[in-house]
Amino acid sequence: MTKKLPIYREPSPCSAGDGAAPSAERDEHGDEASRRGFLQLAASAAVLLAGAPGCKTDSPEFEELFQKHYKELTAEDKKKIFARLETRTRALTGVKVNISDPQPLEGVHFAYALNLSHCNGNRRCVEACARENNLPNDPQMRYIRVIELDNGSQHLEKGTAYYDPERVPQPGKFYLPVQCHQCDNAPCVRACPTKATWKEPDGIVVVDYDWCIGCRYCQAACPYHARRFNWVEPSIEPDRVNPNQGYLSNRIRPVGVVEKCTFCLHRTRNGRYPACYEACPTGARKFGNLSDPESEVRKIVENERVWILKEELGTEPRFFYFYG
């Protein structure tokens, strides 16, 4: 039985607004943040509501509304926030979780390489990713899409991620896994009006789920269709909840925000491989530190005929394809 998780921004008589994430509107400066204006409006409403009978401004909803951006949080702030999220998740799912915040490792720049000669379209990476990252049992909410294409074709629009043959690979087909490419010149980062998404020193693009206003500009800007928006109240079966969670990665996300692959930073920053890497039965996936001359991914990039998807867009991804 599926146990539904709450809408974290549910409206209440005492909340400063109707609970819906506002749409960001670009002003004359293009990508200037609208969150400041949003918070000013919310603050005004909160002041008015503070005087209303039965309304308190020290509620968890109030604290979340005015929570600082991740980059401004102190160690004490994080301790309180993580404790609140852990308590909430346990109350809702019955699962005791641990939320951590592993930091980028000095001198490490993660990259992925994928051998298309070995990928047979089995999609075990897709399911492993979903389980690791606490994604609902909804095929639309997947960070990895494995696209089935005709041999010789690179027209992604003519392929499908919803193939369902009895056996793979099918004759005359090849399979192209696509996920967040952790671009160095990331269009999604530039498009975000509130700076809720950014690129970390180790090359991983992350999202502050509590700072995202759900405008979806980043989703529209991504040329790889790698971001997902939580349209509905998230739901996940308790026995599918991964208790080892990262604050910027696989903690359970609220409705109304955008999420994406983070190279499983809660694993990789602790010396482990991404879940999709470990699940691949053919060895098609290669992952490692691009700055390490001895790493497998570095040797592939230097010695194989690698190519990147939609190179003409200049996104400079950390995700490479090759045949070998």
Side-chain angles (χ1 to χ4, degrees), residues 199-214:
K199 190 171 183 66
E200 293 271 269
D202 57 4
I204 298 175
V205 176
V206 296
V207 178
D208 183 341
Y209 307 121
D210 291 300
W211 207 252
C212 175
I213 60 173

Side-chain angles (χ1 to χ4, degrees), residues 5 89 93 95 97 131 134 236-245 252:
L5 297 180
T89 303
T93 67
V95 179
V97 305
R131 296 296 295 262
N134 291 310
I236 184 171
E237 299 170 5
D239 62 357
R240 287 179 62 94
V241 174
N242 178 359
N244 300 314
Q245 302 181 2
I252 298 175

Side-chain angles (χ1 to χ4, degrees), residues 177-240:
V178 180
Q179 57 203 79
C180 177
H181 284 202
Q182 318 293 353
C183 304
D184 284 347
N185 184 24
C188 56
V189 171
R190 295 198 305 273
C192 180
T194 65
K195 312 304 179 188
T197 186
W198 67 95
K199 190 171 183 66
E200 293 271 269
D202 57 4
I204 298 175
V205 176
V206 296
V207 178
D208 183 341
Y209 307 121
D210 291 300
W211 207 252
C212 175
I213 60 173
C215 67
R216 301 171 61 208
Y217 287 166
C218 61
Q219 192 178 27
C222 176
Y224 305 111
H225 187 46
R227 289 178 171 246
R228 303 289 176 266
F229 181 75
N230 285 317
W231 285 100
V232 298
E233 180 181 351
S235 63
I236 184 171
E237 299 170 5
D239 62 357
R240 287 179 62 94

Side-chain angles (χ1 to χ4, degrees), residues 268-282:
T268 52
R269 287 179 178 175
N270 286 312
R272 301 176 63 192
Y273 284 110
C276 56
Y277 173 99
E278 293 186 348
C280 181
T282 67

Side-chain angles (χ1 to χ4, degrees), residues 64-89:
E64 290 178 45
L65 180 63
F66 288 94
Q67 183 173 305
K68 298 176 184 174
H69 189 282
Y70 170 82
K71 293 182 178 180
E72 299 176 346
L73 295 177
T74 65
E76 188 62 26
D77 291 335
K78 292 180 181 179
K79 184 178 179 180
K80 292 179 180 178
I81 293 168
F82 296 178
R84 183 179 71 221
L85 293 174
E86 290 168 353
T87 299
R88 171 184 291 164
T89 303

Side-chain angles (χ1 to χ4, degrees), residues 90-222:
R90 186 169 189 178
L92 294 170
T93 67
V95 179
K96 183 179 180 180
V97 305
N98 177 62
I99 297 177
S100 62
D101 185 35
Q103 296 299 297
L105 302 173
E106 187 174 354
V108 173
H109 300 91
F110 291 122
Y112 227 123
L114 210 149
N115 188 342
L116 295 179
S117 299
H118 289 180
C119 181
N120 62 11
N122 62 76
R123 290 185 291 198
R124 292 186 187 177
C125 56
V126 179
E127 179 58 21
C129 169
R131 296 296 295 262
E132 179 67 30
N133 290 287
N134 291 310
L135 294 175
N137 192 22
D138 176 358
Q140 298 290 333
M141 288 296 291
R142 293 292 179 265
Y143 293 165
I144 302 174
R145 292 180 302 137
V146 180
I147 302 174
E148 184 184 70
L149 292 158
D150 293 333
N151 280 340
S153 173
Q154 289 195 4
H155 297 289
L156 300 187
E157 66 278 8
K158 295 183 178 179
T160 178
Y162 301 103
Y163 57 91
D164 191 25
E166 294 182 356
R167 299 180 63 87
V168 291
Q170 286 289 289
K173 304 289 184 181
F174 81 101
Y175 299 87
L176 182 72
V178 180
Q179 57 203 79
C180 177
H181 284 202
Q182 318 293 353
C183 304
D184 284 347
N185 184 24
C188 56
V189 171
R190 295 198 305 273
C192 180
T194 65
K195 312 304 179 188
T197 186
W198 67 95
K199 190 171 183 66
E200 293 271 269
D202 57 4
I204 298 175
V205 176
V206 296
V207 178
D208 183 341
Y209 307 121
D210 291 300
W211 207 252
C212 175
I213 60 173
C215 67
R216 301 171 61 208
Y217 287 166
C218 61
Q219 192 178 27
C222 176

